[in-house]
Amino acid sequence: MSPPTYRFLVAVHLIVSVAWLGIVAAKLVLGIAAVTSETTVVAMARFTAMDVLNIAFRPLAVATVVTGVALSLGTKWGLLRHYWVATKLALTVGVIGTAVLLADRLAQTATGTTRGSAGAAAGGDSILDLARAPTTLLLGLCVAHLAMLVLATVFSVYKPWGKTPLGRRPTVLPAPRGSLDVGGAERHVGGTERPSRGASSLVP
């Protein structure tokens, strides 16, 4: 990856990821304000504002994942070569997945439908049916989302835990151009020799 491309992706990734974190924090604040509202009208208005924020939530989430994966694959870190990168990816996907389920549950609650009969017909219930009060589910997932994104940000700074087993595999280095590996030494075009670092060289 060229330096200009790298800097561009880093800038975009920082912008969209921080904006996504801000959206999640705003949704949590609005959710708490809605639950503690004294009137139903005010509470519904705040819940509506939370739903409006989802317009920005989805594209920011997708942009964060796309730029993060591009940076991982285009740099030495790799996508699954370091624990902190893999953990960040898992946290990000977890936030997106549970947010989709939450939006589906809230939509069903708003239209007066439930999953009860469908879950019974399928032989099981959705995990979201464990939360009987939609507001409890809403605030609980908002808190979880905020904590997961904060953790992902911290991991980006500290980069803990080292390499995964995939990242610890030895890498084979290609032989330098203009040299032949003969008898354990590289014979260059000019006729000089030096110890071989050809295709058999390994780096951790």
Side-chain angles (χ1 to χ4, degrees):
M1 181 182 296
S2 64
T5 302
Y6 172 76
R7 288 192 291 267
F8 173 76
L9 286 176
V10 169
V12 174
H13 184 69
L14 288 175
I15 291 171
V16 296
S17 59
V18 170
W20 188 23
L21 180 61
I23 290 294
V24 173
K27 289 178 66 175
L28 177 59
V29 172
L30 285 171
I32 295 174
V35 172
T36 57
S37 299
E38 296 181 357
T39 63
T40 303
V41 175
V42 174
M44 290 305 298
R46 290 170 177 170
F47 280 127
T48 301
M50 289 183 66
D51 189 58
V52 171
L53 288 177
N54 285 329
I55 298 175
F57 182 97
R58 297 181 181 93
L60 289 174
V62 172
T64 300
V65 173
V66 171
T67 55
V69 170
L71 284 170
S72 299
L73 295 177
T75 60
K76 66 177 183 179
W77 298 111
L79 191 60
L80 299 175
R81 292 175 57 84
H82 293 78
Y83 282 111
W84 72 271
V85 178
T87 303
K88 273 192 61 178
L89 179 63
L91 289 172
T92 303
V93 173
V95 171
I96 295 174
T98 52
V100 170
L101 294 177
L102 173 61
D104 178 64
R105 175 58 182 265
L106 292 178
Q108 291 189 2
T109 301
T111 57
T113 60
T114 62
R115 294 176 179 263
S117 58
D125 295 329
S126 168
I127 188 172
L128 294 180
D129 289 327
L130 297 176
R132 296 183 178 276
T135 53
T136 301
L137 175 66
L138 177 67
L139 293 181
L141 282 181
C142 283
V143 171
H145 291 168
L146 185 60
M148 292 164 74
L149 292 179
V150 168
L151 280 176
T153 303
V154 172
F155 294 155
S156 296
V157 176
Y158 289 96
K159 300 176 176 57
W161 305 318
K163 294 182 178 181
T164 65
L166 180 63
R168 289 194 293 268
R169 291 180 181 177
T171 303
V172 178
L173 294 179
R177 292 183 179 179
S179 64
L180 296 175
D181 194 353
V182 179
E186 291 180 354
R187 185 171 300 277
H188 290 259
V189 176
T192 59
E193 296 184 0
R194 68 180 183 181
S196 174
R197 286 180 55 85
S200 61
S201 300
L202 303 178
V203 295

